[in-house]
Amino acid sequence: VNTSSASSFNRVYRSAGTSERNTFNAKTTYDLKINDAHTFNFMLGLQAVDYEYKSHWANKKGLLTPNNPQFDLATGDQTSGGSHSWNSQLGFFGRINYNYKENYLLEANVRYDGTSKFPGDLKWRWFPSFSGAWRVTEEPWMESAKDVLSSLKVRGSWGSIGDQSVSNSLYIPTMSLNNSSFIHNGAKDTYYSTPAAVASDITWQEIQTLGFGIDAQLFNKIGITFDWYNRKTKNMIVGAEGLGIGFGTTAPNGNYGDLSTKGWELSLDYGHVFENGFSINVTAGLADAVTTIDRYGSAKSVTGWYNGKTYGEIWGFEVDRLFTKDDFVYDPNGKLVTVKSKDGYNVYQFSDPNMPTQGYLNSGSLIFGPGDVKYKDLNGDGVLDKGASLTEDHGDLTVIGNTTPRYEYNFRVDLAYKGFDFSAFFQGVGQRDMWGSSSVSLPGFNTSDGAMAQTFAGDFWYETIVDGKVVDANYDAFYPRAANCGGSSIFNMQVNDRYLLDMSYLRLKNVTLGYSIPEKVLNKAHINKLRVYVALENFLTFDKLNGLPIDVEEMAGYSSFNSSNYNSGRAGVG
């Protein structure tokens, strides 16, 4: 129950909701063994789940006293409302396991699932899966290799599962009730909104995964595990593409999309206890994956989804260098000469008439001059622009990076000797990019925020002129001249490769040193176990951010307490 009141609203509001979930599971198994060589295991089962939610609310204005919010102590208009939703799922499943002499392992699964979230005969789908493994080192002809190759197993699998995590009424053209501002006979008029378009043939999203793996052990000490997989999400529920502007309402959602993720994982481990009692354990892991959009209607915008798009890609400009004073023409008074570019923008005249102009990227009174960013004219048309921002016409934009972490790795060391123990855990990412979105991650971003990274302040383009002479300058700066670019994709700070943040890193996540007091000492104090230790978290980080005050693991717009547009999506500020 929620209650709120405030003098500014002068109302009392209360809401309540109840939810109920019922789950029923049943299964049966049967084991069969034939001639001590063939082992079978059979399993059948069913699962039923239903969920129901009801809520209501009431609101009354005109509180007599805001400090005592009671419905009987309010004299104004009273409104109320509520909601009721439910969904249910029913599934039948079966599994067969086969084991031949611990050498060959096979498994087959099948599910027949139904959900109330889809219409008619589209509620039900079959989802099969299969897997198998060969324990190579159990073969008689591998006996001679066991001193080196202690264990080797080869695995393979293919399977599909269904995803029905969508709205309960996705295929139903619902209408919402609203109150208008018009009053007739002392009451506000009510009206129903036009129902949105829906796809009547919407059904399950299906996730299919093909995988292969190897498990090996060398010298009974070194473990190696490798997995490769190709995961395809088929019939993704996304908005329809290609509808004209005269369609009249939002595009319906349907099974119009596919994506695939290809990846691999490698892990190593080593453990040994020496004769003097010293023990060491080392583990390491490396993984990578790339997700690609395989089907998404007729979408072609580079800022949205389109066929062939790599998930997380960043489109932007490539930077040539910073403009110098010699790039421009000056009048007899030493002022920059302004001309019209061939695409119709006010620009400062270049000393080289063939140099591409970028007036399209001007911002208000900011016109590109000495110390500003010189972007590359990738399509060679003599002007810098974004074209139509479509896959077939993106002007001088190109893919400059990707926000998805690549080549994620970790390793851990554990040591122990005569009561002392030491552990260190390192974690890192080999490749990840992020475009800055705050005054400490992007130069010229909303300077009114009142903060600036020292990295920017110590290395920007400037010149100091006294009596017509340059007395101080930094022409070889990495960052452009000081300018308030406002947002995160304006003027000098159009998304570009020069100022893209390299978020790859190696971090010492945890290091611990401990000592366990011997039991013979503790027994005198009637203590069973006592260990003292010191630990450090995130103690050391190696990165390529050149001193910018940004956490290398940060995701702009997210925090541990808020996963939606945290701090207006700004990175590096709390």
Side-chain angles (χ1 to χ4, degrees), residues 33-40 98-102 104:
K33 195 166 187 177
I34 302 175
N35 297 331
D36 293 328
H38 307 277
T39 302
F40 294 88
Y98 172 68
N99 181 336
Y100 178 70
K101 292 184 177 182
E102 299 298 328
Y104 307 98

Side-chain angles (χ1 to χ4, degrees), residues 172-479:
I172 302 173
T174 57
M175 298 183 293
S176 60
L177 175 64
N178 302 278
N179 291 320
S180 74
S181 58
F182 297 100
I183 299 177
H184 292 111
N185 298 324
K188 290 184 178 180
D189 289 341
T190 59
Y191 66 94
Y192 286 92
S193 61
T194 302
V198 299
S200 60
D201 59 350
I202 195 167
T203 187
W204 291 80
Q205 301 178 118
E206 185 175 359
I207 302 172
Q208 297 180 356
T209 304
L210 173 67
F212 298 98
I214 296 175
D215 301 319
Q217 190 175 60
L218 304 176
F219 308 105
N220 278 318
K221 295 183 182 298
I222 303 173
I224 303 172
T225 300
F226 178 80
D227 285 279
W228 174 93
Y229 60 90
N230 183 2
R231 182 181 298 115
K232 296 184 177 182
T233 302
K234 309 186 79 172
N235 297 318
M236 285 193 308
I237 298 176
V238 298
E241 292 288 341
L243 300 177
I245 58 175
F247 183 66
T249 185
T250 55
N253 289 319
N255 302 100
Y256 307 130
D258 297 330
L259 66 77
S260 60
T261 300
K262 294 181 180 180
W264 53 267
E265 298 176 359
L266 174 66
S267 62
L268 305 172
D269 64 84
Y270 169 78
H272 184 70
V273 179
F274 295 89
E275 293 183 358
N276 62 0
F278 177 76
S279 69
I280 178 172
N281 284 280
V282 180
T283 61
L286 175 64
D288 185 38
V290 176
T291 299
T292 305
I293 304 299
D294 299 323
R295 178 172 66 98
Y296 205 94
S298 58
K300 297 181 179 180
S301 172
V302 298
T303 59
W305 303 109
Y306 60 86
N307 297 343
K309 181 185 179 79
T310 300
Y311 184 84
E313 66 185 18
I314 302 172
W315 283 76
F317 293 97
E318 291 184 357
V319 173
D320 184 5
R321 55 181 172 83
L322 298 183
F323 283 117
T324 67
K325 298 179 69 174
D326 293 338
D327 288 323
F328 297 91
V329 174
Y330 300 82
D331 64 17
N333 297 319
K335 301 295 184 181
L336 290 164
V337 176
T338 302
V339 296
K340 282 281 186 182
S341 64
K342 67 178 183 179
D343 52 346
Y345 295 94
N346 290 327
V347 297
Y348 293 132
Q349 185 177 357
F350 290 131
S351 53
D352 179 0
N354 296 318
M355 185 176 292
T357 61
Q358 47 195 57
Y360 170 82
L361 302 178
N362 288 341
S363 177
S365 60
L366 294 175
I367 299 176
F368 289 93
D372 290 324
V373 173
K374 181 181 183 295
Y375 299 105
K376 291 183 180 180
D377 179 20
L378 297 182
N379 63 4
D381 63 357
V383 296
L384 270 295
D385 61 28
K386 301 179 180 180
S389 293
L390 301 176
T391 54
E392 68 269 20
D393 179 18
H394 47 79
D396 301 295
L397 294 175
T398 188
V399 177
I400 60 172
N402 198 291
T403 60
T404 305
R406 298 281 309 275
Y407 311 110
E408 299 178 83
Y409 59 93
N410 64 80
F411 52 93
R412 181 185 181 94
V413 178
D414 291 278
L415 308 174
Y417 183 67
K418 292 186 177 181
F420 288 95
D421 62 86
F422 171 83
S423 68
F425 176 61
F426 292 84
Q427 175 181 294
V429 169
Q431 180 179 316
R432 180 168 83 95
D433 304 302
M434 185 175 77
W435 182 247
S437 55
S438 71
S439 55
V440 296
S441 63
L442 194 69
F445 179 98
N446 280 352
T447 55
S448 59
D449 282 0
M452 180 184 295
Q454 176 58 37
T455 302
F456 305 150
D459 191 17
F460 68 95
W461 190 99
Y462 71 88
E463 65 176 8
T464 303
I465 299 176
V466 177
D467 296 330
K469 295 182 179 180
V470 176
V471 297
D472 188 19
N474 185 19
Y475 295 141
D476 296 324
F478 179 70
Y479 295 103

Side-chain angles (χ1 to χ4, degrees), residues 63-244:
L63 278 174
L64 296 178
T65 168
N67 295 326
N68 188 10
Q70 301 292 331
F71 284 105
D72 289 343
L73 297 179
T75 60
D77 294 336
Q78 182 169 329
T79 54
S80 62
S83 64
H84 181 200
S85 63
W86 69 274
N87 65 80
S88 62
Q89 295 84 45
L90 176 63
F92 303 92
F93 52 89
R95 183 178 67 203
I96 300 176
N97 289 93
Y98 172 68
N99 181 336
Y100 178 70
K101 292 184 177 182
E102 299 298 328
N103 280 28
Y104 307 98
L105 309 173
L106 298 174
E107 179 176 296
N109 294 270
V110 65
R111 291 189 64 96
Y112 186 54
D113 290 323
T115 176
S116 63
K117 295 186 176 183
F118 303 121
D121 58 349
L122 300 177
K123 297 179 186 293
W124 293 91
R125 287 287 298 274
W126 290 96
F127 300 106
S129 62
F130 310 93
S131 63
W134 176 28
R135 300 180 66 184
V136 182
T137 45
E138 295 302 312
E139 299 288 351
W141 45 269
M142 285 293 295
E143 192 66 31
S144 60
K146 282 194 172 182
D147 289 341
V148 177
L149 185 58
S150 312
S151 175
L152 175 63
K153 180 167 69 174
V154 180
R155 299 176 278 106
S157 64
W158 177 90
S160 64
I161 59 174
D163 178 10
Q164 46 90 49
S165 54
V166 295
S167 168
N168 298 349
S169 57
L170 191 62
Y171 67 95
I172 302 173
T174 57
M175 298 183 293
S176 60
L177 175 64
N178 302 278
N179 291 320
S180 74
S181 58
F182 297 100
I183 299 177
H184 292 111
N185 298 324
K188 290 184 178 180
D189 289 341
T190 59
Y191 66 94
Y192 286 92
S193 61
T194 302
V198 299
S200 60
D201 59 350
I202 195 167
T203 187
W204 291 80
Q205 301 178 118
E206 185 175 359
I207 302 172
Q208 297 180 356
T209 304
L210 173 67
F212 298 98
I214 296 175
D215 301 319
Q217 190 175 60
L218 304 176
F219 308 105
N220 278 318
K221 295 183 182 298
I222 303 173
I224 303 172
T225 300
F226 178 80
D227 285 279
W228 174 93
Y229 60 90
N230 183 2
R231 182 181 298 115
K232 296 184 177 182
T233 302
K234 309 186 79 172
N235 297 318
M236 285 193 308
I237 298 176
V238 298
E241 292 288 341
L243 300 177

Side-chain angles (χ1 to χ4, degrees), residues 501-522:
L501 300 177
D502 185 342
M503 303 294 283
S504 59
Y505 70 92
L506 170 63
R507 170 171 281 177
L508 178 57
K509 294 289 291 184
N510 175 273
V511 57
T512 302
L513 176 64
Y515 178 68
S516 297
I517 309 299
E519 290 186 5
K520 63 181 180 180
V521 176
L522 296 177

